[in-house]
Structure formats: structure tokens, C-alpha cells
Amino acid sequence: AESSQRKAIELQPDFAEAYNNLGTIFKSLGNLKEAEIFFSKALALKPDFTLALMNRGQLFFDKNEFDKALYDSDACNTKESRAFSLETLYALERTGEIYQRIKKTAKLDEKNIRLAAFSSFISEREKKDTANNFCRNPLSLLHISNLKLHVQDYKKFIKEIIHELAYIEPIWEPPKKATHNGFQTPKHINLFKNSPQAISYLKSIILKELDSYYLKYEKESCSYIQKWPCNKNLFAWYVILKKQGYQEAHIHTSGWLSGVIYLKVVPPLDKDEGAIELSLNGANYSDINSPQLTHQPNLGDILLFPSSLHHRTIPFSTDTERIVLAFDLKPS
């Protein structure tokens, strides 16, 4: 990859995107000094290059150079950068400014999932609500069901789903995804688009569960419920984890509600192996006292939760596979 990017620069010396790509390559190799040089070269050629600004800002953040990170982030003014600036202000212990900024952009960022996730975190830590009303307490808006409530022979149904999934080739540890030591379908493939029989029926089950979910929480005053998506636009993928596989903590910034269906589970071994952990802590911020929940899934479990809620998989040591089908309900 490095060789290809350098060749691109030979052909077009002002190719800012290639310099940014080199920065990403060196950062992934752990060479932060070279990464910073190339991000800076990209920005010298293209000062308003948002992706390079965010990449260099995160690099500064990782180096604990938070003032520099904030400078780059504030130069962007995008949904992602406004949330990142708040995370950087938290690292700088400028809590008062966090609340001021959230109030200033409350309308603009009403559906900003990354910002909503941080808002839930800081509200809980400071015991003081922010002006963001997307979903103040995502841990209280969980829903657990099971395929056995919809299908008589649910184990046979799950086998049929897995059989159909076998025709869709996944990718090993896809880049910029949370999956480690496992496979995930490519990001352009929606399992619920032109899906075969079993997967199509599974979609109809999910739609029923979404109706139940909404009825369960319809009296909640947050935007998450009160501005519930009019169209049930679902995007689905599947993940196969191998021994010692896991998904790192993440949120779904393009979703509204997220869900996971457990098609194959692993033994917990009294250590919550293979369980899903839901938490307010993010990659750039955390607090030891932040609340969290762990769900040890049973075969066929359906778990629904707000897309702004961080979740991760606890690694497992059994030599087997853990298979889930995950999906997002997209905003209208």
C-alpha cells in the first residue's frame, strides 16, 4: 500500500489524498512521527481536507496532545468533528465548555449519534443533563426477545438462516470495523435486500419486534422515541467470530436502533465469554464508575438497543464459532 501511494505521488505531486493515505498507513504501523508528517503534507496541499484534519486530530489525541487535537477538530465543523471536539474537551477537563457547546448546537446535532453517545456519558458522570435529548439513558431502553417466540422449530429455522448466509462471502477482519479474529460481510451488502426465504422471514420477525419495542417505550420523552423513523429501513450484516475473537467497543453512527440475533453461541465458562457488554464508555473517554450491562445470550436471542449505546463482545477461549446477524434501523 505504501509503495502504491508513493507511486501516485510521483505521478501527481499535489495529490493530497495519497499523502493522507500514507499517514493512515504509518499510523497503522505504529510510526506516529511519519504519520503526522504525511497528514501535515496533505493539509499543506489542501488546508480544508476534513478527513486529514480528523486523522491528524485523532493522532494528536492518541499522543495526549489534546490542544492540537482540538484545533484540528474545530477546523472541520462536521457532525463527527463536533462530537470529537467534545471528547477532546473532556480530556482537557473543560467540562463547562462541553455543556455550552452541546447547548449551542442542540438543534443542529439532534440526530448526531456520536455526540448523543458522549452526551449520555458526560450526563451520567456529572449527574447533570445536557441540552442533547436524543437518548439520555440508553441502558434503560433495551429489549430482549427470542426466535422461539415466533417459530415453533426455531433451531431448524436458525440452521436454514446459517445455510443461506453461507452463500454470502464475508471478509476476514474488515478494515475500519470492530471485528477482530473473525469474518464480517462487506459494508455494501445488505442481507435484507433481495434476501432468500429464511432471511426474508427473519426480517418480518424483526419488524414485529420493532413494533413491540416502540410500544414498550412510546411514552419516553427523548427524541429517540418521539422522532421514531417513519420508514422501517433496515440494513443487516453478519459476523462470525473464531476462538479468541471479539468486537471492540463501538456504536453505529449511521443507525437509530441497533439489533443483534444470536445464531450460534459459545459456552460462557463462568467468565461471560462470548457475552455482549453494553456501556456508556467510548474509545476516547471512559470512567470506572460508568454503568454497564452484560448479556449472556441464549441461542435465538434478539437484542435491541439504541444505536448510541457502546457495545463490545467479550472474547471466548472455546475452539468454536460465534455467529450473529446484526442490523440497524436507519433514520428517516
Side-chain angles (χ1 to χ4, degrees), residues 65 85 101 170 172 231 239 277 289 315:
E65 297 178 18
S85 290
R101 288 198 184 201
W172 178 260
N231 302 315
V239 178
E277 182 184 276
N289 296 315

Side-chain angles (χ1 to χ4, degrees), residues 43 46-57 60 66-86 88 101:
L43 289 164
K46 193 175 177 182
D48 61 348
F49 191 178
T50 299
L51 183 57
L53 280 166
M54 289 296 289
N55 283 338
R56 191 175 70 174
F60 284 142
F66 301 122
D67 286 308
K68 290 182 179 179
L70 184 63
Y71 181 86
D72 278 355
S73 183
D74 282 348
C76 298
N77 195 27
T78 63
K79 282 175 65 175
E80 184 182 10
S81 71
R82 289 192 295 274
F84 180 49
S85 290
L86 297 177
T88 308
R101 288 198 184 201

Side-chain angles (χ1 to χ4, degrees), residues 186-330:
K187 62 182 179 181
H188 66 277
I189 294 179
N190 181 2
L191 298 180
F192 287 156
K193 187 175 182 181
N194 302 318
S195 49
Q197 186 175 358
I199 296 175
S200 182
Y201 188 65
L202 179 62
K203 180 182 177 181
S204 70
I205 292 173
I206 290 170
L207 292 174
K208 290 178 184 176
E209 288 290 348
L210 287 174
D211 287 339
S212 298
Y213 182 94
Y214 178 75
L215 289 173
K216 184 177 181 180
Y217 295 115
E218 63 179 336
K219 293 183 180 178
E220 295 287 330
S221 61
C222 57
S223 302
Y224 170 65
I225 295 297
Q226 294 307 313
K227 298 195 175 182
W228 192 252
C230 301
N231 302 315
K232 291 179 181 174
N233 179 23
L234 297 177
F235 191 96
W237 62 97
Y238 77 92
V239 178
I240 301 175
L241 295 179
K242 299 288 188 176
K243 182 180 178 181
Q244 299 301 338
Y246 66 96
Q247 286 200 300
E248 64 188 43
H250 64 288
I251 57 174
H252 298 172
T253 55
S254 61
W256 193 269
L257 170 144
S258 297
V260 58
I261 300 168
Y262 293 87
L263 304 177
K264 188 173 181 182
V265 296
V266 300
L269 303 181
D270 297 322
K271 294 181 286 186
D272 287 327
E273 291 196 4
I276 183 171
E277 182 184 276
L278 305 123
S279 168
L280 301 182
N281 290 331
N284 291 335
Y285 53 90
S286 64
D287 187 277
I288 193 170
N289 296 315
S290 280
Q292 64 182 43
L293 291 172
T294 301
H295 174 65
Q296 186 64 57
N298 296 307
L299 183 66
D301 269 2
I302 303 169
L303 175 63
L304 308 181
F305 52 91
S307 294
S308 60
L309 184 58
H310 285 93
H311 51 287
R312 75 178 186 99
T313 307
I314 297 174
F316 57 92
S317 57
T318 306
D319 191 9
T320 184
E321 293 180 334
R322 178 186 184 273
I323 305 176
V324 304
L325 185 146
F327 65 91
D328 283 337
L329 171 65
K330 297 282 189 174

